[in-house]
Amino acid sequence: MKVFSQLKKNLKNDFSQLPTIKIALLGDSATQFLNQALRGTGYDRGYNLDVFEADFNQIEQQIFDPSSELYKFTPDVIVIFNSTHKLLSKYNKLDQGEQHKLAELQIELISNLFNRVKKYSNAKVIYFNFPEINDSVFGSFANKTISSFLYQLRKLNYELMSYAAQATNFYLLDIASIQNQLGKSTMFQPAVYVNSEMVLSIDVLPIVAARIVDIIGAIYGKFKKCLILDLDNTMWGGVIGDDGLENIQLGSLGIGKAFVEFQHWIKKLKNRGIIIAVCSKNTESVAKEPFQKHPDMVLRMEDVALFVANWESKVDNIRTIQKVLNIGFDSMVFLDDNPYERNVVRESIAELTIPELPVDPAEYLEYLYTLNLFETASFSNEDTERTKLYQVEAKRTNLQASFSSEGEFLQSLDMISIVEPFNKFNTPRVAQLSQRSNQFNLRTVRYTDEDIARIANNNNYYTLSFTLKDKFGDNGLIAVVILAAESQSTMFIESWFMSCRVLKRGMENFTLNAIIDVAKLNGFLQIKAEYLPTVKNELVKDHYVNLGFEEKCGYWYLDVENYQTKSCFITKK
Amino acid sequence: MEKSEMLKKVNDIFIDTLDNEDIMLTYETTAKDVDDWDSLNHIQLVVAIERYFKIRFTSQEIQSWNNVGEMLDCISAKNV
């Protein structure tokens, strides 16, 4: 990771080609350096973070005043950094009889702040939780004393999580965990604090900035989706081909314990929706043996979406995995104990994230914790089912090979789609799909749950969501169209995005038929559409021309009256 | 370490921290004489000097120096 002075040098670079995100930074301690670290980190991650930094200690003034500079700036994200030191001085000033209410008062303030933000802006809020200060007035007895600062501070951190769990667009930055990882003496330097009101040490600035950008990235659709694993000496100790099933190190003793705990971590990631793939230089049947037979293996074949074990190069195999999953290399992580293999892959596929695993497997986990590779901005039930979806996709690919024509294959799938407007049941998934789809996304507008709810209740909008089920399984909600009435005669396709899992199934035709149905029903004469190119959506560059739209002045138009219903093999339900 | 050698090292730290190749410190140089040497960057300089010489300044020391010479005296008093 870069140190602060290197991040600061980044600020001299040219940001003009990078997408801009407007960030407002509000703090009750000195935030100038954090601002610089944030912008420098943003540059390295491919963002031009346009930061409005409020004057020192202006959080309440800026947020409560509707005409403040903050709202004039129209931020996309508001970062609020209340420091534990200021919280402590608040506590110190409270009457003794009031000290037991500190957490409650602070939560009330935070909820008032956030309600105001929601009223005057569409910004998402990132709020710092509170790294611990134990003022040692009670010693360990503070844990039994409701009015102690430590008790109130821990209560506040807990209450903050409860609050965040139910507040959409409110994200917590876990700065307390950073202090747990690095220790307070790294995090905080008293002399620096006394001289500059800065509560963060210069050393910790890049890490705090990285965590902020992790959350911003996740909100704006940049996050990891897949973990690719090497096997020998990464998943277990030893070489399965040489040592045999009985002799690999795995279990509750010695180094075997490290691998078992590591596998538990991977299993949790899989349950959270990260796709697990295996890429190993091995004979396939031998490589699969531990997954099928070893009593101490935590990961089983059903946890792995794609198992690639052969003697081809890892670069080729990883490319194959990428093709089947159809996700960007920049959303994949590759774990391999062998520095040589890591370097070979790194040289060929630069976008891939390849952590420099420590030499000692006992240290794998602690090291990976610090990287915070799997930040996310959402979690839904569908995430837990993702592995199955990709395994089923592999079966479809096999079936396709046995048909002579694509139509015949598509027909054999018995596809059924439920088409319905947005409602409270599909809102979370619609919002999530808007955040996740990059390739098949015509305008790449990201929506939150609240945005979607607002659109659903706005009469100017017509919304369509599509599920897709076939004889192999249910893909769930896979496509979304948001239509806006631009005039009495013209309907504008504000958004059209689709999961790439269902490419080449005729879903485009089916969706367009549904759009035309809506247009006809509501008396529109023409459809207007737009393609906004991004680095990732070249796939749909010719989408509208392929569907018969005509271009005029940068927009695409389609006549409703003369539309010929397009053929497809999907039944509407 | 000789004071002149120390001045050279501190000069390098200034160049790197403030990202300005033209800095030429003397014992008499004050914050006013160097672009960007404001109170905040002062903290960054102090931390970089602490790291290089493996010393810690007190918060009083950080505020007390009137020029580079006094800063160097303080470093050298810490047995560098």
Side-chain angles (χ1 to χ4, degrees):
Chain A
M1 180 174 269
K2 283 189 177 174
V3 298
F4 175 65
S5 60
Q6 291 169 307
L7 292 176
K8 207 170 156 185
K9 282 181 185 135
N10 269 2
L11 303 183
K12 295 192 170 166
N13 296 341
D14 177 18
F15 284 67
S16 63
Q17 297 306 309
L18 303 175
T20 299
I21 299 175
K22 292 168 88 172
I23 311 287
L25 178 59
L26 312 178
D28 62 7
S29 59
T31 51
Q32 293 94 323
F33 279 178
L34 183 59
N35 179 354
Q36 293 171 349
L38 194 55
R39 295 190 54 231
T41 305
Y43 179 84
D44 286 335
R45 306 273 190 95
Y47 295 113
N48 172 22
L49 300 182
D50 177 7
V51 182
F52 158 75
E53 188 185 339
D55 289 340
F56 174 73
N57 213 358
Q58 290 274 313
I59 300 174
E60 283 93 346
Q61 289 89 328
Q62 291 288 341
I63 289 178
F64 286 128
D65 174 9
S67 62
S68 68
E69 295 159 281
L70 169 71
Y71 296 119
K72 286 198 188 95
F73 176 70
T74 61
D76 301 307
V77 179
I78 300 175
V79 178
I80 305 173
F81 181 13
N82 274 130
S83 67
T84 312
H85 286 82
K86 279 283 150 57
L87 187 74
L88 178 59
S89 65
K90 221 182 245 186
Y91 173 87
N92 292 341
K93 284 178 208 148
L94 282 176
D95 290 336
Q96 206 178 354
E98 301 282 298
Q99 288 171 337
H100 68 283
K101 288 193 205 155
L102 179 75
E104 196 184 312
L105 293 171
Q106 189 68 21
I107 279 285
E108 203 178 295
L109 172 67
I110 293 162
S111 129
N112 286 339
L113 287 171
F114 184 54
N115 285 335
R116 278 299 180 113
V117 167
K118 280 197 286 191
K119 198 164 168 190
Y120 300 123
S121 128
N122 287 321
K124 294 149 185 79
V125 167
I126 297 178
Y127 190 86
F128 286 46
N129 67 2
F130 293 86
E132 286 184 12
I133 297 175
N134 183 351
D135 64 8
S136 293
V137 170
F138 289 94
S140 287
F141 199 74
N143 291 277
K144 281 165 72 78
T145 309
I146 293 174
S147 64
S148 74
F149 182 64
L150 190 73
Y151 192 106
Q152 289 300 310
L153 179 127
R154 288 187 177 149
K155 181 180 176 194
L156 174 56
N157 276 340
Y158 168 77
E159 294 290 351
L160 261 177
M161 292 193 284
S162 308
Y163 180 72
Q166 50 82 32
T168 32
N169 285 349
F170 181 89
Y171 301 89
L172 279 180
L173 186 120
D174 196 358
I175 190 171
S177 277
I178 299 177
Q179 179 163 303
N180 282 342
Q181 271 169 353
L182 301 174
K184 194 171 170 193
S185 57
T186 310
M187 182 96 159
F188 174 73
Q189 278 185 270
V192 169
Y193 169 60
V194 165
N195 278 294
S196 69
E197 278 288 329
M198 213 166 53
V199 296
L200 297 176
S201 74
I202 290 186
D203 286 343
V204 87
L205 287 165
I207 297 161
V208 175
R211 290 292 176 279
I212 299 174
V213 181
D214 287 344
I215 296 179
I216 293 171
I219 293 172
Y220 286 91
K222 219 180 218 182
F223 45 80
K224 304 295 182 229
K225 298 175 182 172
C226 168
L227 178 60
I228 306 173
L229 302 167
D230 168 57
L231 296 180
D232 292 327
N233 286 316
T234 306
M235 284 301 100
W236 51 71
V239 177
I240 184 69
D242 298 338
D243 301 335
L245 190 65
E246 293 79 19
N247 297 317
I248 55 171
Q249 293 157 311
L250 205 58
S252 54
L253 291 173
I255 196 68
K257 181 169 63 190
F259 291 108
V260 166
E261 289 181 5
F262 187 38
Q263 288 195 19
H264 272 294
W265 182 69
I266 293 165
K267 182 117 172 173
K268 283 186 287 181
L269 287 172
K270 174 243 157 188
N271 290 340
R272 207 214 80 186
I274 301 294
I275 308 160
I276 307 298
V278 162
C279 174
S280 168
K281 274 192 179 157
N282 251 312
T283 303
E284 188 175 332
S285 57
V286 177
K288 281 184 174 168
E289 248 193 309
F291 289 85
Q292 292 156 334
K293 294 180 190 158
H294 200 294
D296 294 317
M297 275 294 280
V298 178
L299 292 174
R300 295 286 165 185
M301 284 307 292
E302 64 263 27
D303 297 316
V304 180
L306 261 157
F307 200 105
V308 183
N310 55 38
W311 299 97
E312 308 294 316
S313 87
K314 289 212 171 168
V315 174
D316 289 345
N317 284 336
I318 290 173
R319 285 190 199 283
T320 305
I321 291 170
Q322 186 268 336
K323 260 186 219 128
V324 175
L325 297 178
N326 202 9
I327 56 177
F329 282 123
D330 61 352
S331 64
M332 306 168 102
V333 177
F334 173 50
L335 293 181
D336 195 316
D337 68 299
N338 186 332
Y340 172 79
E341 295 281 9
R342 291 200 296 261
N343 277 325
V344 170
V345 176
R346 197 174 282 137
E347 269 169 33
S348 306
I349 312 173
E351 307 98 298
L352 207 64
T353 300
I354 309 177
E356 276 300 285
L357 282 181
V359 177
D360 183 354
E363 290 178 22
Y364 285 175
L365 265 185
E366 281 302 322
Y367 170 69
L368 289 165
Y369 291 164
T370 67
L371 299 185
N372 193 39
L373 291 168
F374 296 98
E375 187 65 62
T376 183
S378 64
F379 174 61
S380 72
N381 291 336
E382 298 221 2
D383 290 324
T384 61
E385 297 295 314
R386 191 162 296 123
T387 304
K388 253 183 238 150
L389 294 172
Y390 281 101
Q391 286 167 339
V392 168
E393 186 55 37
K395 272 190 217 156
R396 279 190 201 100
T397 313
N398 283 341
L399 176 74
Q400 185 161 18
S402 65
F403 283 93
S404 55
S405 83
E406 195 170 335
E408 213 178 299
F409 162 68
L410 290 176
Q411 198 154 21
S412 78
L413 287 175
D414 302 329
M415 292 183 282
I416 296 168
S417 174
I418 300 171
V419 185
E420 54 183 3
F422 301 166
N423 56 47
K424 65 175 194 278
F425 302 106
N426 61 28
T427 294
R429 172 61 182 156
V430 169
Q432 191 192 40
L433 194 61
S434 86
Q435 289 151 25
R436 294 184 67 96
S437 347
N438 295 312
Q439 299 177 82
F440 196 114
N441 197 336
L442 275 304
R443 293 179 78 240
T444 319
V445 181
R446 312 290 189 192
Y447 302 92
T448 62
D449 289 27
E450 282 193 341
D451 298 334
I452 294 301
R454 203 162 39 230
I455 288 171
N457 293 319
N458 185 332
N459 288 334
N460 258 328
Y461 281 101
Y462 303 89
T463 61
L464 292 170
S465 71
F466 302 82
T467 66
L468 189 65
K469 194 163 95 174
D470 65 21
K471 68 174 176 188
F472 288 108
D474 194 345
N475 287 288
L477 197 155
I478 44 82
V480 171
V481 172
I482 298 175
L483 304 162
E486 194 171 280
S487 67
Q488 259 187 341
S489 61
T490 304
M491 195 167 75
F492 179 60
I493 304 181
E494 180 184 296
S495 275
W496 184 343
F497 48 86
M498 187 172 92
S499 163
C500 278
R501 285 205 300 265
V502 296
L503 278 180
K504 294 187 183 159
R505 307 266 206 99
M507 200 61 208
E508 298 90 323
N509 287 357
F510 181 79
T511 307
L512 185 59
N513 290 344
I515 292 172
I516 297 289
D517 288 347
V518 171
K520 278 190 176 153
L521 198 65
N522 294 286
F524 292 98
L525 302 177
Q526 67 171 353
I527 314 280
K528 179 181 171 186
E530 188 182 22
Y531 164 68
L532 295 176
T534 69
V535 188
K536 293 204 166 163
N537 70 355
E538 214 192 310
L539 178 76
V540 288
K541 188 175 62 156
D542 299 323
H543 176 70
Y544 287 120
V545 67
N546 290 342
L547 288 173
F549 284 65
E550 277 173 35
E551 194 182 3
K552 254 183 283 172
C553 309
Y555 289 99
W556 295 92
Y557 294 89
L558 187 70
D559 188 26
V560 173
E561 198 93 325
N562 299 318
Y563 179 74
Q564 301 277 322
T565 302
K566 295 207 178 294
S567 69
C568 64
F569 298 95
I570 302 166
T571 312
K572 184 170 170 179
K573 194 181 147 190
Chain B
M1 193 186 285
E2 289 283 322
K3 207 170 168 186
S4 62
E5 193 189 336
M6 202 178 278
L7 178 66
K8 205 171 156 293
K9 290 291 174 206
V10 169
N11 199 66
D12 289 345
I13 292 170
F14 269 64
I15 287 174
D16 184 55
T17 305
L18 301 177
D19 202 14
N20 177 357
E21 295 281 340
D22 301 330
I23 293 173
M24 287 274 280
L25 298 178
T26 68
Y27 301 123
E28 287 74 35
T29 307
T30 68
K32 281 198 299 266
D33 306 324
V34 180
D35 284 350
D36 295 331
W37 188 359
D38 56 21
S39 58
L40 205 64
N41 284 332
H42 184 61
I43 298 296
Q44 209 195 336
L45 289 166
V46 164
V47 171
I49 291 166
E50 283 183 333
R51 164 140 327 147
Y52 181 82
F53 291 104
K54 300 188 176 66
I55 54 173
R56 267 294 167 93
F57 296 115
T58 68
S59 48
Q60 290 91 338
E61 284 165 345
I62 292 170
Q63 289 181 339
S64 68
W65 309 310
N66 294 308
N67 56 36
V68 170
E70 288 181 25
M71 182 199 271
L72 295 177
D73 292 339
C74 185
I75 298 172
S76 116
K78 292 178 190 290
N79 298 323
V80 172

